[in-house]
Amino acid sequence: MLRVLPMILAVALCFSNLGFIDFGGHATEEDIHAPRNHLTQDKNAQAAPINQLYNFEDVSEPPAQPYEEILPREENILRLHWDIVPNAVKYEIFIDGVSLFAFTNGIEIPVDDVHTKFQVNAVSLEGATLENRIPIRNIDINPPSPRTTTEFDKMAYPPIYPVYSWIPTSGADHYEIELIKDGKIIRRYFTASQAQEDNFDLYDKVPVIEEGEYFWRVRAMTADNQPLSDWSVQEESNSFEVKHKIRFCALGDSITHGGGSISAPPSTVVYNWETYCAIPVKNLGRSGDTTAEILARFDSDVLPFRPEVLFIMAGVNDYRGNIMGWESVENLQAVKAKCERNGITPVFLTPTPLNPAQIEKIQFVDAPPADWQDHQHFICDWIRTQENFIDVNADLTDEAGNLIENLSVDGLHPDADGKRIIGEAVAAWLDKYLNLE
């Protein structure tokens, strides 16, 4: 049987503010509302570290050995881990007649009997079931450490701005994350205290540029900053190698950075357009960037990799705000000039449209200005005059000029099918480019 009192203390309190528990076993009215958007990097809705305790610029240290004294947790914790289901915003877990919701592809549940029966369903934003009885990849009993959910092993190259993600630890107040390079800790972060089910990723705001072997790890912490778990173990999925001299790179905002369906961060490959490009492309995207911010980081983030071709897609964060189209084009012209001065071939992608009705429905960012399409058209028209460009906008736009509704849950970020459209368009351009050699 499910341990009712600990479940209420460890799980229900975390979910109560959002109304995500229904002891009747059915989705409720509140269930249509999504959690904090894990894709946008707006200052009011970001998953980036709130507090960086250390950033080892000049001093490094070896990783600490596992802590011998870990604060006791519930005697029996059942952890389930499954694969991401495209377009699912959340997952409903039925266990002993109780319905729980998770916003990542895993959950930890306090139980009396670790052999209790359960079922996991993928659920849409509106509460509709997308897939019944999802196969479970891993079942862990009383896990000593968090399970990471990054998929760096499935990426051709690691992103320059990694996102670290994990299955939330039952009873955790916040998390400590370390990035380790060639056996030395180079960064240490703490997440903010927040609801358990919504605290499962951290966007690294510092680019990972230096060549070397990396891995990251996470451990759960209590409110008074004591370890609740051991460190996560090193695996291929949370390890990566950074190399320079990458032939093809992509510079952009969250559309390039990745992620989708509100809750799936860029660390999951199904929502990254680079996944659908048969030819490897290095991801230099950073969520939330405007064209001005992309221009500002060009020298530091692009030049170390010395690409032959740079794919550039930006502007959506300009026209969903109050930046004029002509300003965006000026910034893109400056990016083009930097490419040409450094012997890089710039290839511009038309920026993706918005769906204001979906944005208003989710309300994770402000509604775009009424004339956003005018500024988007200005950018797209300029891009279509360039020697090298890829027009993805047309395939993502409906008759009203908005982002096709079934391609984006939140009205801003194309989901798996939208990312496939972008990735395959880039692959088609590259195929022609390489055949001309």
Side-chain angles (χ1 to χ4, degrees):
M1 292 293 293
L2 185 67
R3 184 178 297 154
V4 177
L5 181 58
M7 182 277 295
I8 294 175
L9 294 176
V11 182
L13 288 177
C14 295
F15 285 67
S16 59
N17 290 336
L18 298 177
F20 290 140
I21 281 191
D22 172 22
F23 286 91
H26 301 287
T28 62
E29 176 77 14
E30 291 85 351
D31 289 336
I32 66 171
H33 299 298
R36 169 177 59 86
N37 194 300
H38 284 254
L39 309 183
T40 179
Q41 284 298 281
D42 288 356
K43 293 180 174 58
N44 293 328
Q46 62 181 340
I50 303 300
N51 177 358
Q52 179 180 324
L53 181 61
Y54 299 113
N55 184 14
F56 295 97
E57 297 289 352
D58 303 313
V59 180
S60 61
E61 59 181 284
Q65 295 300 311
Y67 279 78
E68 295 182 0
E69 296 184 6
I70 304 296
L71 294 183
R73 300 170 63 193
E74 298 290 344
E75 289 183 5
N76 287 321
I77 299 290
L78 181 65
R79 184 169 67 197
L80 310 177
H81 177 215
W82 55 87
D83 289 328
I84 289 282
V85 174
N87 302 319
V89 172
K90 54 193 174 185
Y91 300 88
E92 187 169 16
I93 301 92
F94 296 96
I95 180 167
D96 281 340
V98 176
S99 172
L100 305 174
F101 284 89
F103 296 98
T104 186
N105 54 323
I107 192 172
E108 288 193 5
I109 309 172
V111 294
D112 277 331
D113 182 2
V114 295
H115 302 293
T116 187
K117 295 182 179 180
F118 58 84
Q119 177 179 327
V120 180
N121 297 343
V123 181
S124 70
L125 176 65
E126 292 77 16
T129 299
L130 300 178
E131 185 174 329
N132 281 310
R133 300 184 182 276
I134 299 172
I136 303 301
R137 176 191 286 185
N138 300 105
I139 299 177
D140 299 313
I141 298 172
N142 299 326
S145 60
R147 177 176 288 277
T148 61
T149 58
T150 48
E151 298 180 329
F152 295 132
D153 56 324
K154 298 179 181 179
M155 301 178 184
Y157 304 110
I160 189 174
Y161 289 94
V163 176
Y164 314 116
S165 57
W166 56 90
I167 295 174
T169 297
S170 176
D173 175 79
H174 62 283
Y175 300 86
E176 182 178 4
I177 293 94
E178 290 182 339
L179 180 64
I180 297 165
K181 174 182 180 289
D182 297 330
K184 300 291 183 180
I185 300 169
I186 61 170
R187 300 176 196 169
R188 179 176 293 141
Y189 297 114
F190 288 91
T191 66
S193 299
Q194 62 190 76
Q196 176 182 318
E197 85 289 348
D198 203 32
N199 197 356
F200 59 80
D201 61 20
L202 183 145
Y203 283 62
D204 201 329
K205 291 285 192 172
V206 183
V208 180
I209 294 176
E210 291 187 6
E211 292 186 304
E213 299 280 351
Y214 294 79
F215 81 93
W216 72 277
R217 63 182 189 172
V218 59
R219 62 174 178 166
M221 307 295 286
T222 65
D224 56 357
N225 219 37
Q226 296 301 307
L228 184 64
S229 76
D230 206 341
W231 290 103
S232 58
V233 298
Q234 182 178 1
E235 300 176 310
E236 289 184 0
S237 58
N238 55 33
S239 305
F240 55 90
E241 181 181 7
V242 174
K243 296 180 179 180
H244 290 173
K245 190 53 181 173
I246 305 296
R247 191 175 184 188
F248 305 115
C249 293
L251 181 65
D253 47 40
S254 60
I255 312 302
T256 298
H257 199 193
S261 291
I262 297 177
S263 53
S267 50
T268 52
V269 296
V270 69
Y271 293 109
N272 295 2
W273 70 249
E274 295 85 359
T275 301
Y276 305 102
C277 183
I279 300 167
V281 176
K282 172 81 173 181
N283 188 336
L284 306 183
R286 186 174 70 178
S287 295
D289 268 10
T290 62
T291 55
E293 290 169 323
I294 286 171
L295 172 61
R297 64 183 180 88
F298 183 96
D299 289 358
S300 61
D301 288 3
V302 176
L303 295 184
F305 298 101
R306 305 189 298 279
E308 175 184 325
V309 173
L310 182 67
F311 298 100
I312 305 153
M313 181 165 59
V316 66
N317 290 318
D318 291 25
Y319 50 75
R320 76 176 180 87
N322 293 302
I323 299 174
M324 301 293 101
W326 64 264
E327 296 179 75
S328 304
V329 167
E330 282 191 351
N331 292 328
L332 294 176
Q333 287 174 324
V335 170
K336 176 183 178 181
K338 282 181 173 289
C339 285
E340 292 173 343
R341 285 198 297 270
N342 288 280
I344 300 169
T345 298
V347 181
F348 290 92
L349 279 70
T350 50
T352 54
L354 305 172
N355 190 308
Q358 285 293 100
I359 291 175
E360 183 67 23
K361 182 178 180 180
I362 306 301
Q363 295 185 339
F364 71 93
V365 294
D366 293 336
D371 63 347
W372 69 269
Q373 287 189 6
D374 295 336
H375 301 288
Q376 183 204 39
H377 293 159
F378 191 93
I379 299 170
C380 289
D381 288 346
W382 177 81
I383 288 176
R384 293 179 181 120
T385 67
Q386 301 307 297
E387 179 181 358
N388 296 298
F389 74 91
I390 303 172
D391 192 353
V392 299
N393 181 277
D395 291 331
L396 300 169
T397 303
D398 64 17
E399 293 180 356
N402 298 324
L403 179 57
I404 297 172
E405 184 175 345
N406 64 11
L407 293 181
S408 174
V409 171
D410 63 19
L412 172 59
H413 304 93
D415 293 326
D417 289 340
K419 296 295 176 54
R420 182 185 298 276
I421 290 171
I422 298 170
E424 290 179 350
V426 172
W429 187 95
L430 276 169
D431 186 57
K432 293 179 181 178
Y433 176 81
L434 293 173
N435 284 335
L436 291 175
E437 291 184 338

